[in-house]
Amino acid sequence: NYNPSIRSILDRFAPKTKTSVYESSAKLFDLCSDFLALTHEHRTLFLHSIKLSQIGKEIDFYEAHRHAYYLLLNGLNYGLSHEQTVLIASLVRYQRKQYMAPSHIDKYAAYLPSEKTCNALSFLMRLSLDLFSDFDHQENLSMNFEDETLSVQLKSAYLIRERVSKLSKDTPFKIIIQD
C-alpha cells in the first residue's frame, strides 16, 4: 500500500495530520459504501484523497484546494492511471463543496466515473473533513449507519453539528450528530 508519488507529495507539502482522520474516514466509507454503491477501488482512491487533502495549504491557505489540484494532476505519476489521478485531484479540489461542479464532471467525463459516483465520493470527502479534520476524538467516536441514516456519537459535538448543518438538504442520507 505504498505509492512513491503519494509519499513524495506528502513529504514535501503535507502538514502534520492526525492518523485518526484517515482511520475515521475509512470507517465512514465502510459504513456508507454499500448504500452509495461504491467499490473497494473507490475506497482506496477516497483514502488517498483524504491523505492528500491538506497539501495546498503549504502554498497558500486561501486557494489551497486549487494548488492541491494542480500539484496532484502533475505529481501523481507513478502507479496510478490517468482516471485515478483525475479522480483523486478532483476530490481534493472540491473537498469543501458538497458535490463536484457539473462543468468539471463534463470536462473530465472521459476520466471520471459517473456523476452519481463522483458526487457520492465528493459528499463523503466533505463529510469526513467536516467530522474529523480538526478534532482528535477517535476514542470518543461512534458511528452507525442504519435505515438510510448515519448516526455519529461523540463528546463535545457542538462544532461538528454546526459544520454538518451547513450541508445542503440534498444529502444522500440523513445525518444525526449526538453527544
Side-chain angles (χ1 to χ4, degrees):
N1 196 17
Y2 179 82
N3 182 297
S5 294
I6 292 173
R7 183 75 261 156
S8 173
I9 290 171
L10 288 173
D11 287 346
R12 290 180 288 151
F13 298 106
K16 299 294 181 208
T17 57
K18 299 172 182 143
T19 58
S20 64
V21 174
Y22 181 84
E23 293 164 359
S24 299
S25 297
K27 287 180 189 176
L28 177 65
F29 185 94
D30 293 340
L31 285 172
C32 303
S33 61
D34 288 340
F35 180 76
L36 296 172
L38 299 173
T39 66
H40 184 69
E41 181 185 4
H42 294 133
R43 182 184 194 271
T44 302
L45 300 175
F46 169 76
L47 292 175
H48 287 330
S49 301
I50 291 292
K51 279 185 193 176
L52 296 163
S53 65
Q54 304 304 307
I55 65 170
K57 289 181 180 178
E58 291 296 307
I59 297 172
D60 179 23
F61 180 81
Y62 296 104
E63 294 293 324
H65 62 287
R66 291 177 192 243
H67 294 296
Y69 176 71
Y70 178 81
L71 288 169
L72 294 173
L73 280 180
N74 294 288
L76 293 177
N77 47 21
Y78 179 82
L80 296 168
S81 68
H82 294 301
E83 291 83 2
Q84 292 170 324
T85 298
V86 170
L87 181 58
I88 291 168
S90 297
L91 287 172
V92 171
R93 179 175 182 185
Y94 290 98
Q95 65 184 290
R96 290 294 171 196
K97 304 286 183 191
Q98 190 163 330
Y99 300 114
M100 285 184 201
S103 60
H104 181 81
I105 293 172
D106 290 344
K107 182 177 179 180
Y108 293 102
Y111 300 102
L112 290 171
S114 70
E115 184 174 359
K116 181 181 176 184
T117 301
C118 286
N119 285 335
L121 289 166
S122 187
F123 173 75
L124 281 181
M125 182 87 172
R126 164 81 190 267
L127 184 60
S128 290
L129 294 174
D130 281 350
L131 290 173
F132 313 126
S133 65
D134 292 335
F135 308 100
D136 192 13
H137 52 262
Q138 181 73 14
E139 65 280 351
N140 300 322
L141 176 69
S142 170
M143 292 184 287
N144 185 27
F145 190 85
E146 213 172 87
D147 300 325
E148 298 182 19
T149 303
L150 175 68
S151 299
V152 180
Q153 298 170 335
L154 51 97
K155 294 181 182 174
S156 303
Y158 175 76
L159 291 175
I160 293 173
R161 192 176 294 115
E162 284 294 311
R163 285 183 176 179
V164 171
S165 72
K166 292 180 183 176
L167 293 172
S168 79
K169 301 299 179 203
D170 185 28
T171 60
F173 48 78
K174 188 177 176 182
I175 304 165
I176 299 172
I177 309 293
Q178 302 169 337
D179 287 320

